[in-house]
Amino acid sequence: MSLISIEQPSQRPCRNDWSRFLAAWRRAPLRTGAIAPSSPALAERMVFCAALRPGMRVVELGPGTGVVTEAILAAGVRQEDLVLVEADKDFAGLLAQRYPGAKTVCGDAFSAIERLVDAGGRADAVVSSLPLFVYPRPMRTALCCNALALVGPHGRMVQFTYSPVSPVKPSPGIRAVNSRRIWRNLPPATVWTYRAETL
């Protein structure tokens, strides 16, 4: 896992992002999980479900080319309060160029979240676009538990999926709520919101 810091002016997503996504999918289809970036409609729903507002600290997992990142920033989150964790080195380099104020980490999201928790890190929300269903259930559950430990009892983890079922099985410690289906996405998707279950 490595930190990327490239001081260049911020750029915005462009049509070339579709070809970048397709190239990433060809390199590692299971890790990428999609052949196209998320739609603005899906990104906006994720931000809404995460209840983001100015001043919040956010960890984004699997940001790809930055479509959801743009929606996070549009909600008032500062780049300085944003950690971007991306496994694909080409995407990570692109994100570092577009969002020089954010901390871009090129590495595995599962390990990154665990390290943040072990280091006593704190965040207000974790926003994930990882293709969780390609990973074993124990890994998915561990990721969610670590994310909820990072955000505390008042924070949230949001995760989108193309499947109608939750990628993380609700348990006595995890409360899960799903959004309506977002049809303006390719393919249609659902956003799941996870919070720590309080007694």
Side-chain angles (χ1 to χ4, degrees):
M1 183 163 52
S2 60
L3 176 64
I4 295 178
S5 179
I6 302 175
E7 296 297 327
Q8 293 187 9
S10 178
Q11 301 174 16
R12 294 295 178 258
C14 60
R15 292 182 181 179
N16 287 341
D17 290 350
W18 285 76
S19 59
R20 289 187 178 107
F21 239 93
L22 184 57
W25 182 82
R26 285 174 175 162
R27 285 195 303 270
L30 292 180
R31 186 181 68 192
T32 304
I35 60 171
S38 299
S39 70
L42 175 56
E44 290 166 10
R45 183 66 60 86
M46 293 181 77
V47 165
F48 175 81
C49 292
L52 299 185
R53 59 183 184 273
M56 280 189 162
R57 298 161 297 174
V58 179
V59 177
E60 186 183 359
L61 307 178
T65 58
V67 175
V68 178
T69 312
E70 285 294 317
I72 292 171
L73 297 173
V77 174
R78 302 184 311 156
Q79 287 193 30
E80 291 75 14
D81 292 327
L82 184 58
V83 177
L84 306 172
V85 183
E86 175 55 56
D88 186 276
K89 65 178 182 179
D90 292 338
F91 282 166
L94 181 68
L95 293 164
Q97 291 177 353
R98 288 181 171 171
Y99 312 107
K103 179 179 180 181
T104 300
V105 177
C106 183
D108 173 68
F110 296 86
S111 299
I113 285 288
E114 187 173 4
R115 290 183 186 185
L116 284 170
V117 172
D118 290 344
R122 299 297 300 169
D124 298 297
V126 173
V127 178
S128 173
S129 299
L130 299 175
L132 283 190
F133 274 112
V134 305
Y135 298 99
R137 180 179 289 177
M139 287 185 67
R140 293 180 247 154
T141 302
L143 177 79
C144 188
C145 288
N146 282 327
L148 295 180
L150 190 68
V151 301
H154 304 295
R156 304 177 182 193
M157 172 184 170
V158 297
Q159 169 73 52
F160 89 82
T161 179
Y162 303 129
S163 170
V165 300
S166 172
V168 177
K169 186 176 180 180
S171 69
I174 301 174
R175 183 159 41 114
V177 178
N178 63 309
S179 73
R180 292 181 179 179
R181 198 85 168 145
I182 298 104
W183 295 102
R184 289 185 296 157
N185 192 72
L186 182 65
T190 300
V191 177
W192 285 86
T193 303
Y194 304 99
R195 304 186 72 174
E197 189 73 67
T198 55
L199 300 178

PDB file of all heavy atoms in Angstrom, residues 131-145:
ATOM      1  N   PRO A 131     -16.586  -4.093  -5.526  1.00  0.00           N
ATOM      2  CA  PRO A 131     -17.437  -5.205  -5.972  1.00  0.00           C
ATOM      3  C   PRO A 131     -17.442  -6.302  -4.908  1.00  0.00           C
ATOM      4  O   PRO A 131     -16.825  -7.363  -5.072  1.00  0.00           O
ATOM      5  CB  PRO A 131     -16.755  -5.651  -7.265  1.00  0.00           C
ATOM      6  CG  PRO A 131     -15.310  -5.346  -7.041  1.00  0.00           C
ATOM      7  CD  PRO A 131     -15.278  -4.095  -6.195  1.00  0.00           C
ATOM      8  N   LEU A 132     -18.143  -6.068  -3.811  1.00  0.00           N
ATOM      9  CA  LEU A 132     -18.014  -6.931  -2.635  1.00  0.00           C
ATOM     10  C   LEU A 132     -18.391  -8.387  -2.884  1.00  0.00           C
ATOM     11  O   LEU A 132     -17.844  -9.284  -2.245  1.00  0.00           O
ATOM     12  CB  LEU A 132     -18.850  -6.382  -1.479  1.00  0.00           C
ATOM     13  CG  LEU A 132     -18.276  -5.177  -0.727  1.00  0.00           C
ATOM     14  CD1 LEU A 132     -19.092  -4.902   0.525  1.00  0.00           C
ATOM     15  CD2 LEU A 132     -16.812  -5.401  -0.351  1.00  0.00           C
ATOM     16  N   PHE A 133     -19.324  -8.637  -3.803  1.00  0.00           N
ATOM     17  CA  PHE A 133     -19.773 -10.015  -3.985  1.00  0.00           C
ATOM     18  C   PHE A 133     -18.699 -10.936  -4.552  1.00  0.00           C
ATOM     19  O   PHE A 133     -18.881 -12.161  -4.544  1.00  0.00           O
ATOM     20  CB  PHE A 133     -21.026 -10.058  -4.864  1.00  0.00           C
ATOM     21  CG  PHE A 133     -22.298  -9.876  -4.081  1.00  0.00           C
ATOM     22  CD1 PHE A 133     -23.055  -8.727  -4.243  1.00  0.00           C
ATOM     23  CD2 PHE A 133     -22.726 -10.841  -3.184  1.00  0.00           C
ATOM     24  CE1 PHE A 133     -24.230  -8.552  -3.523  1.00  0.00           C
ATOM     25  CE2 PHE A 133     -23.895 -10.677  -2.458  1.00  0.00           C
ATOM     26  CZ  PHE A 133     -24.650  -9.530  -2.634  1.00  0.00           C
ATOM     27  N   VAL A 134     -17.596 -10.398  -5.042  1.00  0.00           N
ATOM     28  CA  VAL A 134     -16.526 -11.279  -5.534  1.00  0.00           C
ATOM     29  C   VAL A 134     -15.651 -11.773  -4.386  1.00  0.00           C
ATOM     30  O   VAL A 134     -14.782 -12.619  -4.593  1.00  0.00           O
ATOM     31  CB  VAL A 134     -15.653 -10.593  -6.615  1.00  0.00           C
ATOM     32  CG1 VAL A 134     -16.519 -10.078  -7.753  1.00  0.00           C
ATOM     33  CG2 VAL A 134     -14.804  -9.474  -6.017  1.00  0.00           C
ATOM     34  N   TYR A 135     -15.889 -11.251  -3.177  1.00  0.00           N
ATOM     35  CA  TYR A 135     -15.090 -11.645  -2.019  1.00  0.00           C
ATOM     36  C   TYR A 135     -15.900 -12.566  -1.105  1.00  0.00           C
ATOM     37  O   TYR A 135     -17.134 -12.481  -1.056  1.00  0.00           O
ATOM     38  CB  TYR A 135     -14.655 -10.405  -1.233  1.00  0.00           C
ATOM     39  CG  TYR A 135     -13.777  -9.466  -2.038  1.00  0.00           C
ATOM     40  CD1 TYR A 135     -14.331  -8.334  -2.653  1.00  0.00           C
ATOM     41  CD2 TYR A 135     -12.426  -9.711  -2.194  1.00  0.00           C
ATOM     42  CE1 TYR A 135     -13.537  -7.477  -3.406  1.00  0.00           C
ATOM     43  CE2 TYR A 135     -11.625  -8.856  -2.942  1.00  0.00           C
ATOM     44  CZ  TYR A 135     -12.196  -7.736  -3.544  1.00  0.00           C
ATOM     45  OH  TYR A 135     -11.406  -6.893  -4.295  1.00  0.00           O
ATOM     46  N   PRO A 136     -15.226 -13.438  -0.359  1.00  0.00           N
ATOM     47  CA  PRO A 136     -15.942 -14.330   0.564  1.00  0.00           C
ATOM     48  C   PRO A 136     -16.713 -13.535   1.621  1.00  0.00           C
ATOM     49  O   PRO A 136     -16.315 -12.426   1.995  1.00  0.00           O
ATOM     50  CB  PRO A 136     -14.812 -15.150   1.210  1.00  0.00           C
ATOM     51  CG  PRO A 136     -13.654 -15.022   0.283  1.00  0.00           C
ATOM     52  CD  PRO A 136     -13.772 -13.677  -0.360  1.00  0.00           C
ATOM     53  N   ARG A 137     -17.808 -14.122   2.095  1.00  0.00           N
ATOM     54  CA  ARG A 137     -18.650 -13.432   3.072  1.00  0.00           C
ATOM     55  C   ARG A 137     -17.893 -12.969   4.316  1.00  0.00           C
ATOM     56  O   ARG A 137     -18.124 -11.844   4.787  1.00  0.00           O
ATOM     57  CB  ARG A 137     -19.830 -14.325   3.478  1.00  0.00           C
ATOM     58  CG  ARG A 137     -20.748 -13.661   4.504  1.00  0.00           C
ATOM     59  CD  ARG A 137     -21.907 -14.547   4.875  1.00  0.00           C
ATOM     60  NE  ARG A 137     -22.855 -14.659   3.781  1.00  0.00           N
ATOM     61  CZ  ARG A 137     -23.940 -15.430   3.835  1.00  0.00           C
ATOM     62  NH1 ARG A 137     -24.181 -16.175   4.906  1.00  0.00           N
ATOM     63  NH2 ARG A 137     -24.770 -15.469   2.804  1.00  0.00           N
ATOM     64  N   PRO A 138     -16.979 -13.784   4.884  1.00  0.00           N
ATOM     65  CA  PRO A 138     -16.258 -13.302   6.075  1.00  0.00           C
ATOM     66  C   PRO A 138     -15.454 -12.021   5.809  1.00  0.00           C
ATOM     67  O   PRO A 138     -15.364 -11.154   6.683  1.00  0.00           O
ATOM     68  CB  PRO A 138     -15.333 -14.477   6.436  1.00  0.00           C
ATOM     69  CG  PRO A 138     -16.020 -15.678   5.872  1.00  0.00           C
ATOM     70  CD  PRO A 138     -16.662 -15.210   4.604  1.00  0.00           C
ATOM     71  N   MET A 139     -14.884 -11.892   4.605  1.00  0.00           N
ATOM     72  CA  MET A 139     -14.138 -10.681   4.268  1.00  0.00           C
ATOM     73  C   MET A 139     -15.076  -9.472   4.183  1.00  0.00           C
ATOM     74  O   MET A 139     -14.744  -8.377   4.659  1.00  0.00           O
ATOM     75  CB  MET A 139     -13.397 -10.853   2.940  1.00  0.00           C
ATOM     76  CG  MET A 139     -12.194 -11.757   2.994  1.00  0.00           C
ATOM     77  SD  MET A 139     -11.285 -11.800   1.414  1.00  0.00           S
ATOM     78  CE  MET A 139     -10.640 -10.128   1.326  1.00  0.00           C
ATOM     79  N   ARG A 140     -16.262  -9.683   3.599  1.00  0.00           N
ATOM     80  CA  ARG A 140     -17.230  -8.590   3.493  1.00  0.00           C
ATOM     81  C   ARG A 140     -17.673  -8.125   4.875  1.00  0.00           C
ATOM     82  O   ARG A 140     -17.762  -6.928   5.151  1.00  0.00           O
ATOM     83  CB  ARG A 140     -18.453  -9.048   2.694  1.00  0.00           C
ATOM     84  CG  ARG A 140     -18.191  -9.336   1.247  1.00  0.00           C
ATOM     85  CD  ARG A 140     -19.491  -9.766   0.579  1.00  0.00           C
ATOM     86  NE  ARG A 140     -19.441 -11.161   0.171  1.00  0.00           N
ATOM     87  CZ  ARG A 140     -20.490 -11.948   0.025  1.00  0.00           C
ATOM     88  NH1 ARG A 140     -21.698 -11.488   0.270  1.00  0.00           N
ATOM     89  NH2 ARG A 140     -20.351 -13.182  -0.371  1.00  0.00           N
ATOM     90  N   THR A 141     -17.958  -9.098   5.728  1.00  0.00           N
ATOM     91  CA  THR A 141     -18.403  -8.761   7.082  1.00  0.00           C
ATOM     92  C   THR A 141     -17.313  -8.042   7.851  1.00  0.00           C
ATOM     93  O   THR A 141     -17.570  -7.049   8.542  1.00  0.00           O
ATOM     94  CB  THR A 141     -18.821 -10.034   7.834  1.00  0.00           C
ATOM     95  OG1 THR A 141     -19.861 -10.694   7.103  1.00  0.00           O
ATOM     96  CG2 THR A 141     -19.324  -9.706   9.229  1.00  0.00           C
ATOM     97  N   ALA A 142     -16.068  -8.526   7.722  1.00  0.00           N
ATOM     98  CA  ALA A 142     -14.948  -7.887   8.419  1.00  0.00           C
ATOM     99  C   ALA A 142     -14.754  -6.453   7.938  1.00  0.00           C
ATOM    100  O   ALA A 142     -14.497  -5.550   8.740  1.00  0.00           O
ATOM    101  CB  ALA A 142     -13.672  -8.699   8.209  1.00  0.00           C
ATOM    102  N   LEU A 143     -14.884  -6.224   6.627  1.00  0.00           N
ATOM    103  CA  LEU A 143     -14.750  -4.875   6.093  1.00  0.00           C
ATOM    104  C   LEU A 143     -15.799  -3.958   6.698  1.00  0.00           C
ATOM    105  O   LEU A 143     -15.493  -2.847   7.140  1.00  0.00           O
ATOM    106  CB  LEU A 143     -14.880  -4.885   4.575  1.00  0.00           C
ATOM    107  CG  LEU A 143     -14.829  -3.497   3.921  1.00  0.00           C
ATOM    108  CD1 LEU A 143     -13.395  -3.009   3.826  1.00  0.00           C
ATOM    109  CD2 LEU A 143     -15.470  -3.510   2.538  1.00  0.00           C
ATOM    110  N   CYS A 144     -17.049  -4.418   6.729  1.00  0.00           N
ATOM    111  CA  CYS A 144     -18.126  -3.601   7.273  1.00  0.00           C
ATOM    112  C   CYS A 144     -17.913  -3.337   8.759  1.00  0.00           C
ATOM    113  O   CYS A 144     -18.093  -2.195   9.221  1.00  0.00           O
ATOM    114  CB  CYS A 144     -19.468  -4.293   7.043  1.00  0.00           C
ATOM    115  SG  CYS A 144     -20.892  -3.272   7.470  1.00  0.00           S
ATOM    116  N   CYS A 145     -17.517  -4.340   9.500  1.00  0.00           N
ATOM    117  CA  CYS A 145     -17.270  -4.162  10.942  1.00  0.00           C
ATOM    118  C   CYS A 145     -16.146  -3.162  11.183  1.00  0.00           C
ATOM    119  O   CYS A 145     -16.239  -2.302  12.064  1.00  0.00           O
ATOM    120  CB  CYS A 145     -16.947  -5.501  11.599  1.00  0.00           C
ATOM    121  SG  CYS A 145     -18.370  -6.609  11.744  1.00  0.00           S
TER     122      CYS A 145
END
